[in-house]
Structures are given as structure tokens and as C-alpha cells.
């Protein structure tokens, strides 16, 4: 089906305006295991230019009838997901009766069966252009309208949605009419959900999850609801605008593609945020941050919606920034910003290095499929960093005043970049023309460096050659020596080099540009600092400074400036003494999933694994039993160790670290390591799946089975990944993530060609959002060879790839090029 183009959307918006939708869904069917369906009746009222023509979006299994202003429209005229509406009146009503198909790829109306109890669950994820798979509509973000939904469902089910749901009879539900919403925000969550409800400041609250997760939900609901309440108070105080969408439900749903989705009044989250076993502090922080992020969207995105997808930063950058700001305010801790550095900004810098890099705002989005590719670390993490720089430029008071004016003026409508900039200029009295050009509409990341000399501190800025721009940076520089901070300098870098007169209390062993992580830039550590890191980094007491160093090392690996063996040495020295949970988890993952898995040559890996495992064992032994630090250490040890006997004891629940008895997710991590080593059988893994008869148990088993290092096991896993077996989006992801595990290059080399043949062929069976994830996870990055690069070049040259698959191939190939460059430099 063709993707909606911006040109078509603009013409349609000039032709008509939607006044209301009434949607009636019948969810009582869906029992056909091959092709489950549901009934949909859509009534849209809209005004139009008399005599004009336009089109309605419908992506149905079968269209029974269409009437426009009482006159029948031939359902056979529906083509490529559209039906033409001609001879429009000033006021119009179109009614569509259709049968729609449930999905298992996380888009549209997704239906999943919980293997724990056999119960079915449904949720709507209509982002980005999946609404026509649920109801007939004018599917574009600037045709907002109020919605009234009625639902028929099995009697044992609970129904939730954007409006408050009321049971009006056995299996019959009515949802309160909403405020004007964009089509992609509409959702329905239905099934035998377990619920915990509350109320705060007049707002009804609820958290919900599958019945099999009821115990975890009840245990964790108080903490999640407290974050929700505190965030509501903060947003109300900051914006002076009350939450506008009635009740506020948070639903943890199965097989969700993203982290969460900001549907007004009914936010959906991936249900792995409900932890079945032990959770580290950074995992709890990530969940709280996600809650705050989605709540920020109630204002940024839901109340005021972007005109078109090229301004998605007006949604995501603001929610990203506000989440960190809010969590810092309500927790009284800077841990949210440290976590942002380690997880979000590292993700964003990787996106900036990729060939698909793009500006924060105004990135070309000629159609919806192209726009989907811009939901990445640039639109989130870079956009949030740019907002921090804007605050440095204008002051926080003017920033908040501008935000409030922007939200008030465009409430329940749409806005664009010019509207936001106009509000900021009016609030601050500052012309932002040049600032927005270099920070918002020009792609690229600068590289910052610092050096001490006899004349002071010299700080330099180097713009990328491909997209040069004169970006001003407000930042700080820190110097450390033997555990003492001997230099603290604030810098405004508005030219390529500035000299700062700074007081230095002794010699500087480690010099960290952008130590407080206030700006968006790659940090290039000087040679002396790199050499000193094994000694100096463990003694740096500021977690934010340590986090900036780790991200600088990550970038240095990717750009072949830092030897991966040095990173192992730094890890061995610093990790056993690290306290911050985000740094422990993210730097540990850097070592196990990138340095050991990709960067090091094969001959270097055994000794490096032993060193990393030794550091993890040391941290496990020094950490308080059952603590977040101990859990992080146990996970890294399980991923890195070559001690098969220890892994086998752990898999049998023998000698487990405190707090991990009966933790099913930790057991699957251990079993996956054993599978990659060939030290467990498929029968053993199937027995483990039977013992953990759950969705997560099934995914853990699939990933471990795909990791088994035999030709037969690889053939089975690949067939399950790409064959027509009814696998869900998450099942394909699990198979793809396990398939390339371990250094079994000769065994999997033949699948380089299979990838380039079979993954693009999933087009049409798997939606673009899900397919992008599968393609990225299944890319043969572990076959570190120029032949893999050539195979991707050859496939790209054919020119028939969807935007999602094309970007995944281009970006993953770029990551492989980084690894090859590193091996050439340090091999």
C-alpha cells in the first residue's frame, strides 16, 4: 500500500476538516488462529468545500459497505488502502462497515495469547499510520477530531481507552468522548487485565497488566503511581496548564514494539517494565523516566500536535528533556541525567555517526514511511540536548514562559517549528534565526577537545566536514588528578578555539571536556588522559564526569581513535569500584556486547573475556548481597565468563548470588551463555521453557535455541525467523538477537547471503516498525569481513527496499565498517 505523502496530506487538509468520529468495534471474534479478525463500524463527520473530492483511508480484510451522505459507495472501489469520496457537501457523514484483521507485529490492533494461562489480550498501537487497520479515517496528524468509541468484548474482559470506559451491559462498553485527537493517538486495550486504581488531584489513575503479571503489578504499582502523582504536580506547576484528558491509565501490554506510546488518557508500555525478578536501580530509573516521558507528551504531542512528521521533534525532544528534568526535580538526584548520558546520548551519537543522520527539525519527510525512520536518537537525545543549550542561550525563565505561551496558543490544535520559535523569541526578546539554523536544521555533531598549556586551558571545536556549522556551545571542563578535582572551568565556545584562564590546583591527570554533559558534542580525550584513565577514572568521584568519559570511549571505539584493548584495561581498573547503576549496566554492556563481541580480534577474545569476568566477579564479591551493584555484576559475569561449570551450577539454581533464587530472567541469561558455548542442548532449553511457561520464557528459549552452535540448530532458527510460522514481532526479535551470538563465523557465514535475500522478503508480512527492528537485529554484523559489506552494497543497489529495511541495512553496515576500521587500526 502506498504511504501517505505530505503533498496528499496538505491537499486533503485544504479540502476538508473532520468534526467527529464515532467508532464501534466488535472484539468477540478473533478465534481463527490463522487470520483472526474483528468488526469495525466507523462514522466520520466532516466539513468540506462543496463539490470537492478527497479520499478516506481503509486497510480492511473486507469492506461490507460504505455510505457517503446516505448514498452507497461501491466497496470495490477501495484500492491501495483508500476510497475516493466525490461530490462532497459542506457537511458530510461517511459510514464504513468492515472486517479488520488483528495483527501480531505490534501495529494496528495487536492480539496476543499469554502462554501462562491461554488468555487473549488486545491493544491498539495506531502509530504511525496504522489507524486505517482499525477504523476508516482521514489518517494524518493535522486532522484532529473528538472520538466516541463503543466496544463489544467478551464478558470477562476489561476495556480501556482514551476516554473513561463504562460498562453498559454484559460485554458492552462506552468510552467518554475525547478531546480532539490525531488518529495515531487512538487506542483500545481489552482483555482480562489485572488493575490497580488510585486518584490524585482529581485525576482517576490506573495501572494494568496481564492477569499472569498481577502479583508483579500489585507489588510495583505503588512506586509507579507515586512517580505519576509527583510528575503531575510538577507539570501542573511548571506549565500552569492542567492535564486535559480526564482519567490517566497506564497499560503494560505484551509484544510492544517501542518502550511506550503516549495515547492520551491510556498510555501503553511494553510489559517487560513489570519486572518478574530482580531489577537494578537503573532499570527502575528507566521505567520512572519512561513514565515521566509519556506524561510530558500529554502536553507536547497530545495537547499540541505537530502539523506534519518533519516536526516530530516538537513531540519527542521535549518529552525526552522534560522527563529527565522532572525526574531530577521529584527525586532530588542527578541520576536521571547520568542515565541520559550513558544510555540516551550514547544512542544518539551512534545515530549521528550513521549515514542516515538528519537534522533535529525539518528533516525531509515526504511520506509517512520516510518519517518513521526519523524516530531515532537524534529526534530524542540530540533534541533534548539542544533544548538544554537553548536554555543556556535564553535562560530558564524565558524558556518556560515561551513553552507556556506555545502550549496555550495551540492547545487542541497543531503547530510547526516556526510557531515554537516565535513563542520563544517573544518570551526572550532574542532572534533565534541563526541559532535554530545551526542547532535545529543542520545535521552533524561537533567534536570538542581540551588541552592544558602554559597560557591556560585551550578548548577547541571541530565541525564535521560534510555539514559544517558554527554551533555555539555552553559547557564546562573538569580536570582530575589522584581523586581530586583540580580544575573546574565554565566555557562559552562560540568559535573554533577559545583560551580560558583557569585556576589549576595541581597537575591535571585527566582532562574532561563537557564534563557536566550540558551540550551535544563528541568528546575527544587527549592522549595523556587516555593513557591515565586506568589509574584516574576509578578515583573520579563525580558520576556525571565518569559517564562522559565512558561515552567518549564508546565514540572513540567507533571512530577507531581508541584501542579496544585499552577499553578492557580501563574496565578492569574502574568497574570493580563503580557505584552508579547506570554506569555499571551500560559500560558492562559495552564490553560484553561490543568489545568482546565485535571489536577485538578472535585471538584477543579469550584473555579479554577472562579479564572482564574477573572484574565482574570482583564487583560481585564487594557489593552488598542482593544490591543493584551485585545484580549488575552477576549479569556481566554470566555474559562474559568462560567458566561453564559455574554457569551450569547457576542454571540449576546452585550457588546463585543472593537475590537471584527463582529469578527466571537471570536463568535465561545464563542459559543463553551456555547455548552460545555449546554447553546445553535444545532438549534442555525446551525443558526450561516448560518450567517457565510464560511469554518471557518463550522469548528466552527462542533466543537461546537460536544461539546453539550447530548447523542444524542455525537452520531451524533461520527458518523460524523468516518462514511463515506465525511468529510475532517479539519472537522474531528474540530469534534474530540470538542467532549471531558467539564467535562462530564459519558456521554462520552462509547466512550473510540468506539475510540479504530473506529479510527484505518479510515486507508485507511484517509492518515497517517491526521490520526495522528485525532487520537491525538480524544483520550479520558478527561476520566481520569486507564480503559482508559488499553483499550489503549489492543488495542496496537493487533499489527495491522499503525505507525501514533500507535504513537498517545502511546503518548496520556503517557499524560493521566501524568495527573493520578499528581492527585495521589496532589489530
Amino acid at each position: 500500500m502506498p504511504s501517505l505523502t505530505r503533498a496528499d496530506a496538505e491537499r486533503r487538509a485544504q479540502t476538508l476538516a473532520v468534526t467527529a468520529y464515532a467508532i464501534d468495534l466488535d472484539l468477540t471474534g478473533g478465534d481463527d488462529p490463522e487470520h483472526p479478525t474483528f468488526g469495525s463500524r466507523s462514522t466520520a463527520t466532516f466539513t468540506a468545500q462543496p463539490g470537492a473530492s478527497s479520499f478516506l483511508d481503509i486497510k480492511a480484510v473486507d469492506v461490507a459497505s460504505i455510505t457517503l451522505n446516505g448514498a452507497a459507495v461501491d466497496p470495490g472501489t477501495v484500492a491501495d488502502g483508500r476510497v475516493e469520496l466525490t461530490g462532497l457537501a459542506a457537511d458530510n457523514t461517511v459510514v464504513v462497515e468492515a472486517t479488520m484483521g488483528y495483527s501480531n507485529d505490534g501495529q494496528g490492533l495487536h492480539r496476543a495469547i499469554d502462554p501462562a494461562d491461554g488468555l487473549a489480550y488486545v491493544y491498539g498501537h495506531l502509530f504511525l499510520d496504522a489507524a486505517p487497520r482499525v477504523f476508516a479515517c482521514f489518517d494524518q496528524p493535522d486532522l484532529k477530531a473528538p472520538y466516541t468509541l463503543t466496544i463489544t468484548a467478551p464478558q470477562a474482559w476489561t476495556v480501556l481507552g482514551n476516554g473513561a470506559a463504562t460498562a453498559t451491559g454484559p460485554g458492552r462498553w462506552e468510552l467518554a468522548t475525547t478531546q480532539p485527537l490525531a488518529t495515531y493517538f487512538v487506542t483500545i486495550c481489552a482483555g482480562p487485565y489485572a488493575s490497580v486504581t488510585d486518584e490524585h488531584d482529581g485525576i482517576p489513575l490506573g495501572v494494568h497488566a496481564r492477569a499472569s503479571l498481577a502479583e508483579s503489578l500489585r507489588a510495583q504499582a505503588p512506586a509507579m503511581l507515586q512517580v505519576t502523582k509527583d510528575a503531575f504536580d510538577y507539570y501542573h506547576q511548571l506549565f500552569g496548564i492542567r492535564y486535559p484528558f480526564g482519567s490517566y491509565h497506564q497499560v503494560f501490554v505484551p509484544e510492544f514494539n517501542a518502550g511506550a506510546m503516549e495515547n492520551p488518557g491510556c498510555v501503553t508500555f511494553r510489559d517487560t517494565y513489570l519486572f518478574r525478578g530482580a531489577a537494578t536501580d537503573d532499570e527502575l530509573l528507566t521505567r520512572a523516566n519512561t513514565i515521566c516521558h509519556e506524561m510530558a507528551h500529554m502536553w507536547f504531542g497530545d495537547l499540541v500536535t505537530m502539523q506534519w512528521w518533519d516536526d516530530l521533534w516538537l513531540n519527542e525532544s521535549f518529552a525526552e528533556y522534560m522527563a529527565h528534568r522532572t525526574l531530577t526535580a521529584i527525586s532530588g538526584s542527578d541520576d536521571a541525567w547520568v542515565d541520559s548520558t550513558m544510555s540516551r546520548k550514547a544512542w544518539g551519537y551512534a545515530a549521528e555517526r550513521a549515514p542516515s543522520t538528519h537534522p533535529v527539525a525539518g528533516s525531509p519527510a515526504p511520506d509517512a514511511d520516510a518519517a518513521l525512520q526519523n524516530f531515532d536518537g537524534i529526534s530524542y537525545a540530540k533534541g533534548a540536548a539542544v533544548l538544554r543549550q537553548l536554555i543556556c542561550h535564553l535562560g530558564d525563565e524565558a524558556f518556560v514562559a515561551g513553552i507556556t505561551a506555545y502550549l496555550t496558543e495551540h492547545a487542541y490544535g497543531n503547530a510547526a517549528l516556526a510557531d515554537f520559535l516565535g513563542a520563544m523569541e517573544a518570551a526572550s526578546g532574542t532572534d533565534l534565526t541563526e541559532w535554530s539554523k545551526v542547532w535545529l536544521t543542520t545535521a552533524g555533531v561537533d567534536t570538542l577537545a581540551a588541552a592544558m598549556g602554559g597560557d591556560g586551558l585551550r578548548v577547541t571545536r571541530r565541525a564535521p566536514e560534510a555539514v559544517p556549522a558554527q554551533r555555539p556551545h555552553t559547557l564546562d571542563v573538569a580536570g582530575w588528578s589522584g581523586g581530586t578535582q583540580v580544575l573546574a572551568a565554565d566555557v562559552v565556545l562560540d568559535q573554533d578555539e577559545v583560551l580560558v584562564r583557569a585556576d589549576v590546583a595541581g597537575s591535571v591527570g585527566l582532562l574532561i571536556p563537557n564534563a557536566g554533559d550540558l551540550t551535544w558534542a563528541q568528546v575527544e580525550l587527549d592522549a595523556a588522559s587516555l593513557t591515565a584513565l586506568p589509574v584516574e577514572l576509578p578515583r573520579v568521584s563525580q558520576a556525571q564526569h565518569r559517564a562522559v568519559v565512558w561515552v567518549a570511549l564508546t565514540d572513540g571505539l567507533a571512530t577507531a581513535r581508541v584501542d579496544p584493548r585499552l577499553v578492557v584495561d580501563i574496565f578492569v581498573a574502574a568497574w570493580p569500584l563503580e557505584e552508579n547503576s547506570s554506569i555499571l549496566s551500560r559500560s558492562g554492556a559495552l564490553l560484553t556486547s561490543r568489545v568482546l563481541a565485535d571489536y577485538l580480534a578472535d585471538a584477543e577474545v579469550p584473555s579479554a573475556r577472562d579479564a572482564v569476568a574477573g572484574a565482574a566477579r570482583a564487583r560481585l564479591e564487594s557489593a552488598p548481597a542482593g544490591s543493584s551493584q551485585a545484580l549488575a555484576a552477576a549479569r556481566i559475569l554470566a555474559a562474559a565468563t568462560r567458566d561453564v561449570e559455574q554457569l551450569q551450577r547457576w542454571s540449576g539454581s546452585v550457588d546463585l548470588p543472593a537475590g537471584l533464587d527463582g529469578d527466571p530472567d537471570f536463568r535465561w541469561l545464563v542459559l543463553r551463555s551456555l547455548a552460545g558455548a555449546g554447553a546445553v542442548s535444545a532438549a534442555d532449553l525446551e525443558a526450561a521453557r516448560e518450567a517457565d511457561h510464560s511469554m518471557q520464557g518463550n522469548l528466552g528459549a527462542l533466543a537461546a535455541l537460536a544461539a546453539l552452535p550447530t548447523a542444524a540448530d542455525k537452520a531451524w532458527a533461520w527458518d523460524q525467523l523468516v518462514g511463515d510460522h506465525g511468529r510475532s514481532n517479539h519472537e522474531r526479535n528474540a530469534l534474530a538477537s540470538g542467532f549471531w551470538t558467539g564467535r562462530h563465523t564459519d558456521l554462520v557465514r552462509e547466512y550473510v547471503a540468506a539475510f540479504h535475500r530473506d529479510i527484505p522478503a518479510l515486507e508485507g508480512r511484517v509492518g515497517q516498525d517491526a521490520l526495522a527492528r528485525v532487520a537491525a537485529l538480524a544483520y550479520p554484523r558478527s561476520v566481520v569481513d569486507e564480503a559482508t559489506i559488499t553483499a550489503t552494497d549489492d543488495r542496496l543497489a537493487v533499489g527495491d527496499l522499503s525505507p525501514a529495511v533500507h535504513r537498517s541495512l545502511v546503518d548496520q553496515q556503517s557499524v560493521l565498517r566501524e568495527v573493520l576500521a578499528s581492527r585495521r587500526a589496532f589489530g
Side-chain angles (χ1 to χ4, degrees), residues 511-679:
L511 195 59
I512 311 173
N514 195 31
D517 205 16
L518 292 176
T519 193
W520 179 261
Q522 290 185 345
V523 168
E524 190 172 280
L525 299 172
D526 66 276
S529 291
L530 280 174
T531 301
L533 276 174
V535 174
E536 292 288 352
L537 184 60
R539 302 178 183 183
V540 172
S541 60
Q542 294 292 326
Q544 183 64 77
H545 296 186
R546 300 195 304 274
V548 168
V549 168
W550 275 111
V551 174
L553 291 173
T554 304
D555 289 335
L557 282 168
T559 54
R561 297 194 312 265
V562 174
D563 190 332
R565 292 167 296 191
L566 174 61
V567 176
V568 173
D569 292 342
I570 296 166
F571 182 86
V572 170
W575 212 76
L577 300 175
E578 183 58 63
E579 291 289 337
N580 182 272
S581 184
S582 297
I583 298 176
L584 279 169
S585 293
R586 306 296 177 174
S587 62
L590 171 68
L591 267 293
T592 56
S593 66
R594 298 307 317 280
V595 176
L596 297 180
D598 297 331
Y599 281 103
L600 289 172
D602 289 349
E604 304 272 3
V605 172
S607 61
R609 286 185 63 183
D610 291 343
V612 171
R617 187 175 288 107
R619 191 67 188 96
L620 178 60
E621 291 171 353
S622 66
S627 66
S628 175
Q629 293 85 353
L631 174 57
R635 288 174 176 174
I636 297 305
L637 181 55
T641 186
R642 295 194 295 154
D643 187 345
V644 169
E645 291 184 3
Q646 181 178 49
L647 291 173
Q648 288 174 333
R649 290 196 304 274
W650 281 1
S651 72
S653 299
V654 177
D655 297 333
L656 280 169
L660 290 174
D661 287 321
D663 188 319
D665 295 326
F666 182 74
R667 188 182 186 216
W668 282 117
L669 172 60
V670 171
L671 287 169
R672 181 166 166 177
S673 290
L674 286 168

Side-chain angles (χ1 to χ4, degrees), residues 84-455:
E84 291 295 321
L85 304 178
T86 60
L88 298 176
D91 296 291
N92 304 271
T93 300
V94 61
V95 181
V96 177
E97 296 266 7
T99 299
M100 303 290 190
Y102 285 112
S103 77
N104 71 344
D105 65 359
Q107 296 173 247
L109 203 57
H110 183 100
R111 187 174 188 269
I113 304 296
D114 188 345
D117 50 25
L119 298 177
Y121 293 86
V122 166
Y123 67 86
H125 185 59
L126 276 50
F127 171 86
L128 175 135
D129 59 355
R133 293 169 60 173
V134 179
F135 56 91
C137 58
F138 302 99
D139 188 28
Q140 58 191 72
D142 59 340
L143 291 178
K144 298 173 75 170
Y147 286 79
T148 304
L149 275 76
T150 50
I151 310 293
T152 303
Q155 292 187 28
W157 283 18
T158 294
V159 172
L160 302 159
N162 305 101
T166 302
T168 59
R172 189 65 177 167
W173 296 77
E174 292 184 1
L175 276 63
T177 300
T178 70
Q179 298 285 0
L181 306 180
T183 45
Y184 77 99
F185 288 137
V186 178
T187 194
I188 287 293
C189 298
Y193 282 100
S195 302
V196 175
T197 59
D198 204 341
E199 182 273 341
H200 179 68
D201 194 18
I203 304 169
L205 306 176
V207 288
H208 315 266
R210 288 178 283 128
S212 64
L213 295 175
E215 184 177 348
S216 296
L217 178 71
R218 286 192 293 270
Q220 296 169 50
M224 294 187 292
L225 287 169
Q226 189 60 56
V227 171
T228 304
K229 296 172 183 179
D230 291 343
F232 265 132
D233 290 343
Y234 184 78
Y235 289 138
H236 286 160
Q237 177 272 327
L238 187 68
F239 304 144
I241 302 170
R242 281 190 59 80
Y243 168 69
F245 297 109
S247 56
Y248 193 75
H249 295 280
Q250 299 173 94
V251 190
F252 294 84
V253 299
E255 300 177 338
F256 197 67
N257 278 331
M261 178 64 197
E262 65 268 23
N263 313 302
C266 189
V267 178
T268 43
F269 295 80
R270 62 167 56 202
D271 58 13
T272 51
Y273 278 135
L274 284 178
F275 306 110
R276 303 194 303 162
T280 59
D281 290 345
D282 64 290
E283 287 175 320
L284 297 173
L285 182 68
T286 296
R287 182 176 68 188
N289 188 279
T290 305
I291 290 171
C292 292
H293 179 109
E294 304 310 321
M295 293 181 71
H297 273 309
M298 299 301 119
W299 289 267
F300 299 101
D302 297 4
L303 178 64
V304 180
T305 307
M306 59 196 167
Q307 193 84 24
W308 179 247
W309 301 107
D310 59 340
D311 272 325
L312 65 93
W313 84 288
L314 291 169
N315 292 13
E316 299 303 346
S317 299
F318 284 84
E320 180 88 359
Y321 166 74
M322 288 307 310
H324 301 316
R325 174 175 177 150
T326 301
L327 198 54
T328 298
I330 66 179
S331 68
S333 166
D334 290 334
D335 285 351
W337 288 116
V338 176
D339 188 71
S340 170
T341 300
M342 290 300 298
S343 61
R344 309 299 284 181
K345 292 189 80 169
W347 169 48
Y349 291 141
E352 193 85 278
R353 290 193 303 270
S356 58
T357 186
H358 58 85
V360 173
S363 183
D367 58 37
D369 280 349
L372 180 63
Q373 309 318 307
N374 292 334
F375 282 78
D376 57 19
I378 294 172
S379 298
Y380 287 73
K382 181 178 182 179
V386 168
L387 289 175
R388 293 188 85 181
Q389 283 294 291
L390 180 60
I391 293 171
C392 292
H393 191 61
L394 302 180
D396 193 63
E397 184 177 347
F399 176 76
V400 173
I403 282 177
T404 301
Y406 165 80
L407 293 172
T408 302
E409 181 177 355
H410 301 285
Y412 305 109
N414 298 85
L417 171 62
D419 299 309
F420 169 76
L421 292 177
M424 287 296 164
E425 289 177 337
S428 65
T430 302
D431 185 342
L432 293 174
T433 303
E434 183 60 25
W435 186 92
S436 65
K437 177 183 176 182
V438 297
W439 272 116
L440 294 176
T441 60
T442 302
V445 57
D446 295 340
T447 299
L448 304 184
M452 294 300 302
D455 51 356

Side-chain angles (χ1 to χ4, degrees), residues 33-111:
E34 297 293 327
H35 303 289
T37 61
F38 61 96
S40 172
R41 176 184 171 87
S42 314
T43 302
T45 57
F46 60 100
T47 61
Q49 299 171 9
S53 299
S54 191
F55 61 93
L56 186 73
D57 300 299
I58 311 171
K59 299 176 183 177
V61 173
D62 177 69
V63 179
S65 66
I66 306 171
T67 61
L68 174 63
N69 299 330
V73 177
D74 182 4
T77 60
V78 176
D80 290 329
R82 297 178 180 180
V83 60
E84 291 295 321
L85 304 178
T86 60
L88 298 176
D91 296 291
N92 304 271
T93 300
V94 61
V95 181
V96 177
E97 296 266 7
T99 299
M100 303 290 190
Y102 285 112
S103 77
N104 71 344
D105 65 359
Q107 296 173 247
L109 203 57
H110 183 100
R111 187 174 188 269

